[in-house]
Amino acid sequence: MRPVEAGSIQDVVSDVYDVFGGVRKASAATGLAPSVLSYGTEMREDRPGGLGVNYLDRMARMDPAAAAILASHFAALAGGVFQPIEVAVVEELTSACADAIKENGEAIFFALQAARSGRWEDAQIALPEVDESITEMTGLRAILMQTIQTKGGR
């Protein structure tokens, strides 16, 4: 494996290969030659890019751990964070909706209390409620995305 700069896209690609057990095993899993995968960790200024995004997408679809590495990298570049969640089965959509409604209601209740009082303590109580609401809505979104991806081709 080539030496790569920490935090670079080449480092991220290298971490994706590690999910598969290294370049050779990633090669066997994807059907791509090891030289093609090695090219993805080469830092060269005379040519743009590296490993094609289609290849990275293929590996991410093969293993959620590879997708998480890529998502974390790009979320950080966008000024955000990637927060993995457990994706429930599609049959739990109704339950996920109910949980999201409950958590949103609680978050709004506590946020309004903080707004009315203007107290730091009330805002501190409201923050975890808002975080729980965000988690539930993100889970709901994940279930809907899973539905689109698995049933969208019908």
Side-chain angles (χ1 to χ4, degrees), residues 92-109:
E92 295 180 15
L93 182 57
T94 303
S95 175
C97 287
D99 292 342
I101 290 168
K102 174 188 166 291
E103 293 301 333
N104 280 330
E106 290 175 2
I108 290 168
F109 172 79

Side-chain angles (χ1 to χ4, degrees), residues 91-145:
E91 290 75 31
E92 295 180 15
L93 182 57
T94 303
S95 175
C97 287
D99 292 342
I101 290 168
K102 174 188 166 291
E103 293 301 333
N104 280 330
E106 290 175 2
I108 290 168
F109 172 79
F110 285 106
L112 286 172
Q113 276 191 324
R116 272 194 298 259
S117 75
R119 293 180 35 193
W120 175 83
E121 295 84 2
D122 288 338
Q124 203 172 20
I125 291 169
L127 278 175
E129 297 297 331
V130 170
D131 289 343
E132 288 176 23
S133 174
I134 291 168
T135 298
E136 289 300 328
M137 290 301 291
T138 304
L140 178 58
R141 187 181 195 289
I143 292 170
L144 292 170
M145 288 302 298

